[in-house]
Amino acid sequence: MLSMPSLFRTNTFLSTGALLLAFLSSTTYIQHASAQTAYAADFIEPTHIIGQPFDASRGRAMQSVVSWAQQLAEGGPWSVVNKFGKAPSGDMHDYLSWAPYWWPDCSSVGNTTVLSDEQIWVTCPYVNRDGQFNPDGRLVNNVGDFQSMAEATLYNAVAWSFNETWVSGTLKTQLETNAVKFIRTWFLDPDTAMKPNLNYAQMKRGPGIQVGSHTGVLDLKAMSKITSAILLLRSGKSALWTPQLDAQMVAWTQAYIGWLESAAIAIEEKEALNNHGTFYFSQLASLKVLVNDLPGAKGVCDEFFNGIYKGQIQADGEQPLEAARTRPYHYRAYNLAGMITIARIAAYAAPSSSPWSTPSGSGATIQKALDFAITTSAATSKEGKYAEELWPNVASVASVYGDAEGKYLAYLKKNAPGFMSEPYILWNAPFGAGEASGVIPPGAKAATRKATGAAAASTGAKDAKDNTSAGMSLGGAGMSAAAVVAAVTVGGLSLLL
């Protein structure tokens, strides 16, 4: 077992930076940072990828997808059983994560000797420090592993779906193999599968009975990415994604849906009025799609738009529940990503529906929320490292509502000059059509199609520029403690909210 540094055994609070540096420099947990960006949420309709004759302006985005897919795959497969310690159930197949913003306060314990790590976890009361990530939470990294798995599964499925002008031969086979293997390992294989519940997600440590909290439902918000990957495998008629595997995945998902719709902590998350509630609905709606229950998916989306959505956007577009948090710029972008995902699922489940024009209680739409958000500055609230979290939302809104005045294109050109190399450009067509910055220079395309392993990782780091600040820490060992501080501070905080 890993031994935590003595700093964690004291009865006083230390700064986040000092604790994180001490933790990272004293363990073998350190991981390699990736140039890949983990978008908060995504739902990709298969027809937006499969069979699409993407024009030259989408070249760099396609190049990024292939590079990211290969780079991310190097860290897999991932399993819920690979973690430090066990859930209170004693079953390694139970998902486990620790509440990220809760810190031990041992000042009232009265210990006369140094407490062990395990003693701290069950003896010292834990107190909330909103927005301040407790770095020892990643000793149990099911949340990070799930996110890594979801990212790798999605991008390998998307890259596999490209036509043979872009991806063919052994590379295409490897991408398909990766996507299927990652799903099987996390969800289906008996030795490695996760149980379909989140009973111990974002568990608050301290004296007394330790159980998960409602905020832990957020840990699996990336299920919409898993659903997107499976839809691509189905629509693309993957030979490796067999009817038997599909039936097993549907059965697992139906069991998990049962938990989401009945467990007390899940219902508590559903009732949250802010981004927590939003991501509950986006997750559940995507799962209904996965089990082929499109009427059920539409019903979940309708419940959101007729319920908590009504109080989320003011007439001027501000999101008051997100603006009140410690990082308002980040939370506005974060909740927008969830709302956009629900709208996409609603449109997929019921093409005649009109989620994008559905008004909040004040009469504002998702577009109005985005229009307000782009008037804010991440620097004003000292959130410069989160600036790019808003950019995918800009492209999404422009692709649906249009950009007749060119303000969305102008915003991204000013704030994100490398945006045409971002994968989200592919499923937000026609936005950005014809942009020269997305065209791959002559001679580079063939090399990208053949790139594998380390070469692909190098290509991704070079071409998917401006992707590091909100990216997750993914991959193998060998990164400096200072670099991991940046990666965890940015990527980790955006995952656990």
Side-chain angles (χ1 to χ4, degrees):
M1 296 177 69
L2 294 175
S3 176
M4 295 171 62
S6 59
L7 286 174
F8 287 94
R9 303 190 180 103
T10 64
N11 59 10
T12 58
F13 284 130
L14 295 175
S15 70
T16 303
L19 278 169
L20 189 53
L21 281 169
F23 168 61
L24 292 171
S25 62
S26 64
T27 72
T28 57
Y29 168 76
I30 297 173
Q31 293 185 319
H32 170 67
S34 163
Q36 183 259 338
T37 303
Y39 308 137
D42 263 318
F43 177 80
I44 304 172
E45 186 173 339
T47 57
H48 290 177
I49 302 295
I50 295 176
Q52 284 295 324
F54 293 115
D55 63 32
S57 67
R58 307 290 164 175
R60 284 195 176 276
M62 297 179 77
Q63 185 182 57
S64 292
V65 168
V66 175
S67 296
W68 290 11
Q70 294 174 302
Q71 182 180 3
L72 289 164
E74 293 176 357
W78 299 265
S79 168
V80 74
V81 304
N82 295 330
K83 58 175 171 284
F84 173 83
K86 298 178 182 179
S89 65
D91 191 335
M92 291 296 289
H93 294 271
D94 273 325
Y95 180 97
L96 174 65
S97 65
W98 288 336
Y101 298 155
W102 290 76
W103 294 70
D105 180 2
C106 302
S107 59
S108 61
V109 172
N111 57 300
T112 57
T113 59
V114 174
L115 297 175
S116 69
D117 306 333
E118 290 79 4
Q119 287 174 324
I120 290 175
W121 300 337
V122 299
T123 303
C124 299
Y126 275 66
V127 296
N128 186 27
R129 304 174 74 181
D130 186 32
Q132 298 185 43
F133 181 74
N134 184 341
D136 84 334
R138 283 308 180 89
L139 281 172
V140 178
N141 201 33
N142 278 173
V143 60
D145 286 345
F146 176 79
Q147 183 73 18
S148 298
M149 181 275 299
E151 299 295 317
T153 301
L154 176 64
Y155 287 107
N156 275 269
V158 172
W160 168 77
S161 300
F162 291 159
N163 63 45
E164 294 202 355
T165 302
W166 280 92
V167 176
S168 61
T170 56
L171 174 56
K172 194 173 187 72
T173 300
Q174 186 60 58
L175 294 165
E176 180 185 16
T177 300
N178 289 342
V180 173
K181 176 174 63 178
F182 298 155
I183 296 170
R184 288 187 58 168
T185 303
W186 189 275
F187 296 102
L188 305 178
D189 290 347
D191 291 341
T192 57
M194 171 187 165
K195 285 191 170 182
N197 69 73
L198 290 173
N199 290 330
Y200 304 101
Q202 293 200 21
M203 188 177 74
K204 295 175 184 176
R205 289 167 286 173
I209 299 174
Q210 296 187 348
V211 295
S213 59
H214 71 91
T215 56
V217 175
L218 191 63
D219 283 8
L220 262 60
K221 68 180 184 296
M223 281 301 303
S224 61
K225 299 179 182 181
I226 299 298
T227 294
S228 298
I230 290 174
L231 291 180
L232 288 167
L233 292 171
R234 288 173 178 170
S235 298
K237 302 187 184 308
S238 165
L240 299 182
W241 187 249
T242 64
Q244 292 76 18
L245 286 177
D246 194 73
Q248 291 176 45
M249 188 64 200
V250 167
W252 188 98
T253 305
Q254 287 173 329
Y256 179 53
I257 287 174
W259 183 88
L260 274 178
E261 294 182 325
S262 63
I265 58 176
I267 299 304
E268 188 177 356
E269 184 75 345
K270 175 183 179 180
E271 294 171 350
L273 301 179
N274 64 355
N275 67 80
H276 280 272
T278 301
F279 280 107
Y280 172 91
F281 283 102
S282 71
Q283 182 181 158
L284 181 58
S286 72
L287 295 171
K288 296 283 188 178
V289 171
L290 196 158
V291 300
N292 303 303
D293 181 8
L294 296 186
K298 181 181 183 299
V300 172
C301 296
D302 288 346
E303 186 176 0
F304 168 75
F305 282 113
N306 293 325
I308 65 171
Y309 170 77
K310 293 297 184 183
Q312 289 190 342
I313 311 173
Q314 294 178 171
D316 63 355
E318 175 64 291
Q319 300 174 69
L321 298 175
E322 311 308 327
R325 297 292 297 276
T326 54
R327 290 173 286 132
Y329 179 95
H330 157 72
Y331 283 109
R332 290 188 193 101
Y334 194 62
N335 194 54
L336 262 168
M339 291 191 289
I340 288 169
T341 297
I342 296 172
R344 282 178 164 163
I345 294 172
Y348 175 81
S352 62
S353 63
S354 54
W356 300 102
S357 61
T358 300
S360 68
S362 66
T365 63
I366 291 173
Q367 182 182 27
K368 189 69 173 180
L370 186 278
D371 286 348
F372 181 92
I374 63 176
T375 67
T376 66
S377 169
T380 300
S381 50
K382 299 181 180 180
E383 298 180 77
K385 59 192 175 185
Y386 298 107
E388 69 184 68
E389 293 185 354
L390 189 60
W391 302 342
N393 300 333
V394 175
S396 297
V397 165
S399 71
V400 173
Y401 295 95
D403 190 22
E405 299 175 0
K407 66 178 180 180
Y408 300 128
L409 186 61
Y411 176 89
L412 288 178
K413 284 184 174 181
K414 177 182 178 180
N415 295 282
F419 74 96
M420 286 301 295
S421 68
E422 288 282 347
Y424 62 71
I425 287 299
L426 297 177
W427 47 90
N428 283 306
F431 178 71
E435 281 297 305
S437 62
V439 178
I440 298 175
K445 188 182 297 184
T448 301
R449 287 204 305 272
K450 297 176 182 177
T452 58
S458 175
T459 302
K462 178 180 67 175
D463 291 315
K465 59 185 178 180
D466 298 326
N467 291 341
T468 55
S469 68
M472 291 179 51
S473 176
L474 305 167
M479 185 179 179
S480 70
V484 179
V485 169
V488 174
T489 299
V490 178
L493 286 175
S494 67
L495 291 175
L496 301 165
L497 302 168

